Amino acid sequence: MVVAIMAPRSGKTSGLAIPAILSAPGPVLLTSNKAANDAFTATVDARAEVGTVWTLDPQQIAHHPREMWWDILADARDLAGAKRLAGHFVSASVDESSGSDFWSTAASNTLGALFLAAASHRRPITDVLAWLATPADRTPVDLLTDAGHDSVAAQLQGTVSGATETRDGIFETARQYASCLLDPDVAAWVTPNEDLPEFKPFAFATSRDTLYLLSKDGGGSASAIIAAAADAVMRAAVIVAERSGGRLDPPALCVLDEAANVCRISDLPDLYSHLGSRGVIPMTILQSYRQGQRCWGEAGMDALYSAATIKIIGSGIDDADFADRLSRQVGDHDVQTTSVSTSEGGKSTSVSMRTERILPPDAIRALPKGKVLLLATGIRVAMLNLRPWYKEPSAKVVGPASARATKAITERALAKTIGHDDFELSA
Ligand SMILES: Nc1ncnc2c1ncn2[C@@H]1O[C@H](COP(=O)(O)OP(=O)(O)OP(=O)(O)O)[C@@H](O)[C@H]1O
Ligand SMILES: [Mg+2]
């Protein structure tokens, strides 16, 4: 279980994500907010040779045609799953610190109730959007009662029949959280479609397939969908592992590149403790320790960091506390100092030992690009040279493949704008 913390442009993707994906023996999941000349293009050809490639690109980062769909409501058929799904939409929109005020909590509960109402009757996600638009609609309350979720129904009924200002405020907040789904082109990726293959997390766990989860970051982005999909895949993988002797063999690799930007799974720290013993390898890549704290809170980030059996720290650690903590973990060494003093009786030499930090905080901050600290369970801290994919012999193949895939993205983007212009001209 890996957590990597490295500054922007310091080789996270080229030195960690891509090499890990290229050497993965089993299924691979990648989250990313970049397509061209990044992990997606560098690995897509190689991964297509070993299994099916699934690309979930709701915001058209890679201008990838919609060739699959994933049922976002599949895990929302029980209350816990519905709440978790609502949580992904909240986390994607607000930081951990502001995610627990009245409006957020009420909106999250309402969203969860609506997801549960839709999922328990196999209704599409678009129904949830329709209900969000008309708070007075009683349909979801009735559906929840029908499905035996009486207390959730009562809670939703309470919100719906409460003071109008409060109700509208709650629904407005919920609409903001779910705003990415208002775009039909985005919602289509997670709505059942008979003509396209369905991505199934349980089948994925025992395959050698690859799931690329691409999204922009920031509010209103589709990153909630990305987080929900990554969460569903990791949970399914754990369940499959438990059913088949405890461990996935080969293991599943889940590279959460730009995790704090596009894959804010709020209980990732808890999830970490389940994954390792199950052959599900998470690799969470962050730009700084603080970025993790903003996303999971101080305690959450601490839990995530402690649960990681492999911690990789790269250049550009600006956080003084964190650098000092690392420096202490690297440890001290004894330095021998010799002092010579001259007096009337002649010269005398004394040797003394002094304890010094092996790597003081300022040296950690100034780690050169390509060098990282490795903190792994059971060994002393080590300093490593990263081996980015473009310096490996296989770059002869990967480089051109990445260039081809990048060119294809540009061509798809161009084809779209030209099509658009034609439309505007004829209109
Ligand atoms: N194919 C390549 N050939 C040579 N150098 C490269 C190549 N790809 C990346 N680099 C170098 O590696 C550096 C780090 O790239 P990389 O995308 O891996 O960093 P990152 O930490 O993932 O960045 P970001 O925070 O933007 O995601 C780049 O600044 C670039 O100088
Ligand atoms: Mg990167």
Side-chain angles (χ1 to χ4, degrees), residues 395-417:
K396 282 201 289 292
V397 180
V398 179
S402 182
R404 266 199 313 277
T406 302
K407 189 157 164 268
I409 293 178
T410 317
E411 279 166 3
R412 286 196 294 266
L414 230 50
K416 263 197 222 159
T417 31

Side-chain angles (χ1 to χ4, degrees), residues 163-179:
T164 319
E165 293 81 18
T166 317
R167 180 194 72 187
D168 289 354
I170 294 171
F171 271 73
E172 175 54 28
T173 312
R175 278 197 294 273
Q176 277 171 23
Y177 291 160
S179 64

Side-chain angles (χ1 to χ4, degrees), residues 24-28 43-54 204 206-212:
V28 169
T43 57
V44 67
D45 274 19
R47 291 298 304 178
E49 281 174 22
V50 293
T52 306
V53 169
W54 305 85
F204 177 80
T206 51
S207 73
R208 280 180 170 70
D209 293 357
T210 310
L211 175 64
Y212 291 107

